[in-house]
Structures are given as C-alpha cells and as structure tokens.
C-alpha cells in the first residue's frame, strides 16, 4: 500500500477578513513547520516521503519549505489540494459566515457555485496520485479527504491542528484513512 502524509499548514500571520488575502506564517507557524519537518524526518527511511506537494497558497508553501529543503526536493504545487472554492458572489467579509454554515452540515448541503461532494472526491483523487509524498493542505480540504476515505457525509469529521499530520493509504485508487492528525480548537485559516 502506498502512503501519503497530509499536513495542515502552520499558524498563519492573519486570519479571515485580514488585510492579506494570502498570508504567510507567523513566528509560531514557522516553528510548527520546522517541527513537522523534524517529525517526518524522524520516520524510518522507508516510511519517509520522497516528494513534497503544496497548495498554491503561501501558508502551505511556507509550511512545506523546511521539509522540501531537508529532502533536497522542489515543492510541487497542486491547486487541487488548495482551499475550498468560495462562491463567486461572496465577498471576503461574507466568507467566514458561509464557512461556519457549511461546517454544521453535510457536503451535499453546501450552497455555492459547485457540487462540493464532487470537490471532496477531487481532493481525494489528487491525494491518491501522491503516494510516497507529503502534501501540505488546508483544514477544509483535509476534512474533505477524510470524509471520502471514511464515507462520512459531514463537512467536519475532525478538527486538524496546525501542522498536524494525517496519514492515508492508497490502494486500488482508493484513499484509506490510516491515522488522523492531532486535533485542536484552532481557527480554520
């Protein structure tokens, strides 16, 4: 079975509705990024990822950087493991309320521009292409992958902490949840 490690980005420098639409990491987030790289590097050699993949957003790229540097590889960017697409008609100020409403229900109940159940399957399919990799992604995308792997229709089956590492197996093009990452009561961004 191939393994993919999915890591939620570190703590960002700003949250929803901040002046920066693509914030990087704050000092705590940078420390978290180094710590998760060390955690992954402490795995037995045969279990360590050989590739590093990231969402295009800055907070994920900055979280991925210490591991990519340690492994001597380039970060591969894949928008399919990025943030959940916000409906085009929503302003940045309206996004937090839309997300909060989504978190309380199921994927097929989210009101927006696309079929969010299909979006979760697309996230899972992307992860399924990255056996042997560490993928740096986001709270909602990670929850989408867990939902697909477990068959749970809820939008939020768990609350991954910043820089927590969730491990999936890939078998016959199917994503299998092996271990959820550390959970915490953190903000989504």
């Amino acid at each position: 079975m191939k393994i993919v490690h999915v890591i939620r980005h570190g703590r960002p420098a700003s949250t929803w509705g901040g002046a920066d639409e693509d914030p990087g990491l704050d000092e705590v987030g940078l420390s978290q990024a180094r710590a998760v790289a060390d955690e992954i590097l402490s795995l037995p050699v045969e279990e360590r990822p050989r590739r590093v993949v990231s969402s295009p957003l800055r907070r994920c790229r900055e979280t991925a950087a210490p591991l990519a540097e340690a492994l001597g590889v380039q970060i591969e960017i894949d928008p399919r493991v990025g943030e959940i697409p916000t409906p085009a008609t929503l302003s940045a100020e309206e996004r937090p309320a839309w997300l909060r409403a989504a978190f309380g229900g199921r994927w097929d109940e989210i009101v927006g521009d696309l079929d969010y159940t299909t979006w979760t399957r697309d996230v899972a399919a992307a992860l399924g292409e990255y056996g042997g990799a560490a993928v740096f992604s986001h709270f909602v995308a990670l929850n989408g992958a867990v939902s697909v792997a477990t068959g749970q229709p809820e939008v939020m089956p768990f609350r991954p902490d910043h820089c927590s590492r969730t491990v999936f197996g890939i078998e016959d093009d199917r994503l299998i949840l092996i271990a959820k990452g550390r959970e915490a009561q953190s903000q989504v961004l």
Side-chain angles (χ1 to χ4, degrees), residues 102-126:
F103 290 161
R106 297 185 330 245
W107 293 104
D108 62 354
E109 297 171 334
I110 298 176
V111 176
D113 298 345
L114 56 102
D115 178 333
Y116 291 95
T117 302
T118 299
W119 178 78
T120 65
R121 287 194 296 264
D122 292 345
V123 171

Side-chain angles (χ1 to χ4, degrees), residues 101-176:
F103 290 161
R106 297 185 330 245
W107 293 104
D108 62 354
E109 297 171 334
I110 298 176
V111 176
D113 298 345
L114 56 102
D115 178 333
Y116 291 95
T117 302
T118 299
W119 178 78
T120 65
R121 287 194 296 264
D122 292 345
V123 171
L127 294 176
E129 295 174 16
Y130 292 118
V135 178
F136 292 80
S137 188
H138 303 270
F139 185 99
V140 183
L142 189 46
N143 269 286
V146 169
S147 291
V148 170
T150 62
Q152 294 178 279
E154 291 81 23
V155 172
M156 199 168 60
F158 88 119
R159 299 185 65 84
D161 197 7
H162 289 120
C163 283
S164 65
R165 181 172 56 94
T166 298
V167 181
F168 294 94
I170 305 163
E171 192 171 83
D172 299 326
D173 294 328
R174 192 169 52 100
L175 206 58
I176 301 163

